[in-house]
Amino acid sequence: MQIQLDIHTHTLASAHAYSTILENARVAADRGLSLLAITDHAPCMDDSTHLLHFVNYDVLDRVVYGVEMLYGVELDIIDYSGSVSMAADMRQRMDICIASFHNIVFPPGSKAENTRAYLGAMEQSGVAIIGHPDDGRVPVDYEALIREAKRVGILIELNNSSLKPGHFRVGARENTKTYLALCERYGVPVAIGSDAHFATAVGNLNLALELLEEIQFPAELVINTDPAALKQILEHRR
């Protein structure tokens, strides 16, 4: 499988991350990626940056070290109806929007409440990827999640960081296997993200790739091999 892109990385603008856009892009180039998404946390997270950081994306180069750049945001899901932490007009300015549950921003509820929140987030304009829905602390009805992803044409993230031994997300490996099986059943593409918070992790998707090989997941459902297919989904979700 020839990986060409990483859809989920953070920079110093997410203050609990430690690298710059240039440093991330340099590693992406060294690893042979053709496309890299910068997806810093939205201002709703306590240590994230000001909204002006996202407003000012148009000053940035679209190609850095030969790597095409997408500048976007990792949104927080902020209520059980699926509202997200950036207004619709700002989401339209982003190249890519991931919507994720972060317990530090909004406490998870019951499985039914969390599922309703995820499904509501899928209805928000611009949201193209549901981020790391693998944390056992945020129980979710995976059947409902994946069926709705198929209906609305949204991507589900396979988060490489979640698969690290000892990671704080609970039961991530088994939960990931559960929803990947459903993605295969319903034909829902997945997007692998490094969730890099330091440059050396950019494009390092090895744990995710090992899991895909273990379960013999269809390569044609992995969006990271096809930048054009990713862009088509991003445009559809606008």
Side-chain angles (χ1 to χ4, degrees):
M1 192 183 303
Q2 186 175 358
I3 296 298
Q4 298 191 49
L5 56 101
D6 187 344
I7 55 90
H8 187 170
T9 69
H10 296 275
T11 73
L12 289 168
S14 302
H16 59 286
Y18 303 95
S19 300
T20 66
I21 292 173
L22 287 175
E23 289 167 338
N24 282 8
R26 178 74 272 172
V27 174
D30 290 345
R31 291 204 160 122
L33 300 185
S34 61
L35 187 148
L36 176 66
I38 301 294
T39 52
D40 280 308
H41 288 288
C44 188
M45 188 166 284
D46 285 344
D47 73 342
S48 190
T49 189
H50 193 276
L51 188 64
L52 287 176
H53 170 84
F54 301 94
V55 172
N56 205 39
Y57 271 160
D58 59 1
V59 306
L60 299 172
D61 291 346
R62 304 304 303 190
V63 178
V64 181
Y65 301 127
V67 178
E68 182 179 0
M69 305 295 292
L70 298 180
Y71 299 109
V73 61
E74 184 179 13
L75 303 162
D76 294 291
I77 298 172
I78 57 174
D79 60 34
Y80 298 128
S81 66
S83 301
V84 294
S85 55
M86 184 176 280
D89 60 337
M90 273 300 300
R91 298 198 303 268
Q92 291 301 310
R93 296 171 67 108
M94 301 295 101
D95 294 331
I96 183 170
C97 295
I98 301 170
S100 305
F101 242 109
H102 293 111
N103 298 17
I104 195 171
V105 173
F106 179 69
S110 66
K111 178 183 284 190
E113 288 172 326
N114 299 333
T115 301
R116 181 158 53 90
Y118 274 122
L119 300 190
M122 290 184 186
E123 298 295 333
Q124 302 291 333
S125 62
V127 173
I129 301 169
I130 293 298
H132 51 71
D134 50 40
D135 191 344
R137 300 174 303 167
V138 188
V140 58
D141 181 342
Y142 285 122
E143 179 93 20
L145 182 76
I146 302 307
R147 289 182 66 173
E148 184 68 1
K150 177 66 173 181
R151 187 185 73 82
V152 301
I154 203 167
L155 295 164
I156 301 295
E157 184 188 23
L158 168 51
N159 189 286
N160 191 81
S161 184
S162 295
L163 299 174
K164 293 177 181 177
H167 197 276
F168 63 85
R169 294 181 189 132
V170 175
R173 182 179 176 84
E174 290 308 309
N175 291 336
T176 300
K177 290 171 72 172
T178 296
Y179 70 72
L180 286 176
L182 290 163
C183 286
E184 181 175 3
R185 181 190 305 173
Y186 290 107
V188 173
V190 300
I192 312 174
S194 66
D195 201 356
H197 284 65
F198 189 55
T200 56
V202 171
N204 183 353
L205 310 178
N206 290 345
L207 294 174
L209 293 172
E210 288 170 6
L211 180 57
L212 292 176
E213 183 175 0
E214 175 187 323
I215 66 173
Q216 298 185 311
F217 190 80
E220 61 269 21
L221 289 179
V222 180
I223 207 76
N224 301 69
T225 64
D226 191 347
L230 173 66
K231 292 176 186 178
Q232 186 176 25
I233 291 170
L234 297 178
E235 184 60 31
H236 165 70
R237 290 298 302 164
R238 289 189 179 281

